[in-house]
Amino acid sequence: MPILGFNRQSFPDKFTQVGRAMYGSLNARQLNARAAVSVPLVPMLPLIVAGGAMLYHQGNEATKPNGGDKNAWLNILLESAIGAWVLKNTTGLYPLFGLGLAAYRSGQKHTAQEKVQAMVNTGICMLLGWAGVHLFESFAEAGRANDDHIIKNALKGEGKHEAKFKKWVDTHLANLATSNEDAKGLKDALAELKTAYKDHDALYAKTGKYGGKPEWEVLEPFRNKIMELKSNIAERVEKMGNELYSTVEYENKSAVRAALAKIEDSQSSFTRFNRAMNPIYGYIITGLVIGTPLAKWISSKIGEKRPDLKTKQFHANVFPHENRIINYTVGSGGHGGGHGANHFMAPGPAIVWPEANGGRPMQ
């Protein structure tokens, strides 16, 4: 939830559509496989790409004579986490954060070209990082929607394999529930989940906005309820184990296992953690992996167009010492302070008033 005083940002429609389309396209083959046990490769793609980029960068650091920065990967992760957090939980702070960072990095450089490059690098990386956060969070949202779509169809028995699961719930699980308290709890939870999906979809149709998503505040209680029910079901399935399938026909067992496995996987700790990290992965992939070489290319073009910037030195202090109204100094001697005295000194030349102080300078 957003911190008090900040607003939750909604995803731009275009990024939401692109993220969902990307997930749907990559996941099409997996949707048609219907295997009881499969490695969820598509949801892990952002993790694989971002993790590979950080390992590559850390490997480059290791080749340096002094061993490089041993925490380079951690610094990248930290910077990306801060950027993603600011984007998701604040309004208007991200561009200010970018301007401050660009000014600081520019101040560390000596020549005009280096200063321009620092500002270009920071601006492009943060702009693409903004796009990556939105794009890959919508990618995660598409994964959640995909899970819910499969589970809903299984509960309604829509489809050949789904019909086998519904038959198992109506016959085998119903018979088992008459003498087993855990089976009864599982059957009730599945029925309640089916109802929760139905209510959620009805509310979505009523409050949904064309081309976007409905108000989060309206749907959040239903989504939280669905997550609680799926967690409850996953716990009961794990507790009962093979007892659930003891009398199920062999040809139907894979369909039942696949449906229950999808419910378990959608609420597993790894799945939830991976989806929560998707905005950070997006910041790394687009902001750093794509943004860094793009920024360097643009900077090189600026250097080609303006070679004179290489020789221009801009290392003067923005707040020069001699122009300050009050200078706080620590030292010895002068102005009656004695050794180690602290002085507030007026800048500039001494002021001479002939009529006062016998014509002697006044500091």
Side-chain angles (χ1 to χ4, degrees):
M1 295 296 294
I3 292 180
L4 186 63
F6 296 100
N7 297 323
R8 180 187 177 92
Q9 289 183 327
S10 60
F11 301 134
D13 292 345
K14 290 184 179 179
F15 284 103
T16 302
Q17 293 166 3
V18 171
R20 289 176 177 174
M22 182 170 62
Y23 185 93
S25 176
L26 292 171
N27 203 44
R29 188 180 300 275
Q30 185 178 349
L31 282 172
N32 294 328
R34 298 187 181 278
V37 179
S38 61
V39 178
L41 184 62
V42 172
M44 291 196 300
L45 282 177
L47 168 62
I48 294 170
V49 176
M54 287 191 289
L55 288 174
Y56 178 83
H57 182 72
Q58 191 66 54
N60 271 347
E61 287 290 319
T63 62
K64 295 180 179 179
N66 60 351
D69 183 3
K70 294 179 173 57
N71 294 320
W73 69 272
L74 184 60
N75 294 334
I76 291 174
L77 191 62
L78 207 60
E79 178 185 340
S80 303
I82 292 172
W85 184 90
V86 170
L87 264 174
K88 290 179 60 182
N89 295 280
T90 69
T91 301
L93 184 58
Y94 186 74
L96 295 178
F97 175 66
L99 288 172
L101 186 60
Y104 175 75
R105 289 175 175 173
S106 177
Q108 292 179 309
K109 306 302 180 181
H110 294 271
T111 67
Q113 184 182 32
E114 290 175 338
K115 291 179 182 294
V116 171
Q117 287 175 344
M119 297 182 71
V120 169
N121 291 350
T122 303
I124 290 178
C125 289
M126 294 199 70
L127 176 62
L128 291 180
W130 172 88
V133 168
H134 292 306
L135 181 65
F136 282 89
E137 185 155 3
S138 65
F139 188 89
E141 289 284 351
R144 296 186 188 98
N146 175 70
D147 287 349
D148 289 335
H149 175 74
I150 293 173
I151 295 169
K152 278 189 292 184
N153 285 348
L155 292 172
K156 292 187 292 185
E158 295 182 355
K160 181 180 177 181
H161 292 267
E162 290 79 0
K164 293 178 181 179
F165 175 73
K166 187 174 186 305
K167 180 181 178 182
W168 172 82
V169 173
D170 295 339
T171 57
H172 174 75
L173 186 60
N175 292 334
L176 194 61
T178 58
S179 57
N180 187 303
E181 196 64 29
D182 288 324
K184 183 178 184 304
L186 176 59
K187 181 177 180 297
D188 293 342
L190 288 169
E192 194 173 354
L193 179 61
K194 182 178 179 180
T195 301
Y197 275 130
K198 182 179 179 180
D199 294 340
H200 173 275
D201 291 350
L203 189 60
Y204 183 96
K206 182 184 295 185
T207 63
K209 297 178 180 178
Y210 178 77
K213 67 177 183 180
E215 295 297 329
W216 177 265
E217 292 79 7
V218 177
L219 293 175
E220 188 175 21
F222 289 88
R223 293 180 175 178
N224 289 339
K225 181 66 174 178
I226 289 171
M227 291 173 62
E228 291 173 6
L229 288 169
K230 288 193 290 187
S231 295
N232 184 359
I233 292 168
E235 290 174 5
R236 292 182 183 278
V237 169
E238 183 178 2
K239 183 178 180 180
M240 295 188 69
N242 289 328
E243 184 181 2
L244 286 171
Y245 319 106
S246 57
T247 60
V248 181
E249 299 84 353
Y250 178 79
E251 61 272 16
N252 296 334
K253 190 173 293 186
S254 62
V256 175
R257 284 184 181 274
L260 293 177
K262 176 56 69 176
I263 296 176
E264 289 183 281
D265 177 68
S266 69
Q267 287 303 111
S268 70
S269 299
F270 172 77
T271 298
R272 286 184 289 180
F273 174 78
N274 186 48
R275 287 173 179 167
M277 290 289 290
N278 257 26
I280 299 175
Y281 300 151
Y283 192 98
I284 293 172
I285 293 169
T286 61
L288 303 181
V289 175
I290 299 176
T292 300
L294 178 61
K296 287 183 177 179
W297 180 80
I298 293 176
S299 296
S300 68
K301 292 299 179 183
I302 294 175
E304 292 175 6
K305 295 289 185 182
R306 293 292 306 275
D308 58 301
L309 296 177
K310 294 180 181 180
T311 57
K312 287 187 177 180
Q313 297 286 328
F314 287 96
H315 202 57
N317 201 323
V318 176
F319 307 105
H321 182 82
E322 62 273 12
N323 286 352
R324 297 178 189 170
I325 296 175
I326 295 176
N327 295 317
Y328 182 70
T329 64
V330 179
S332 59
H335 309 289
H339 180 72
N342 299 335
H343 309 285
F344 287 96
M345 300 174 59
I351 303 174
V352 179
W353 290 344
E355 297 82 5
N357 200 29
R360 293 191 298 275
M362 299 181 63
Q363 296 286 353

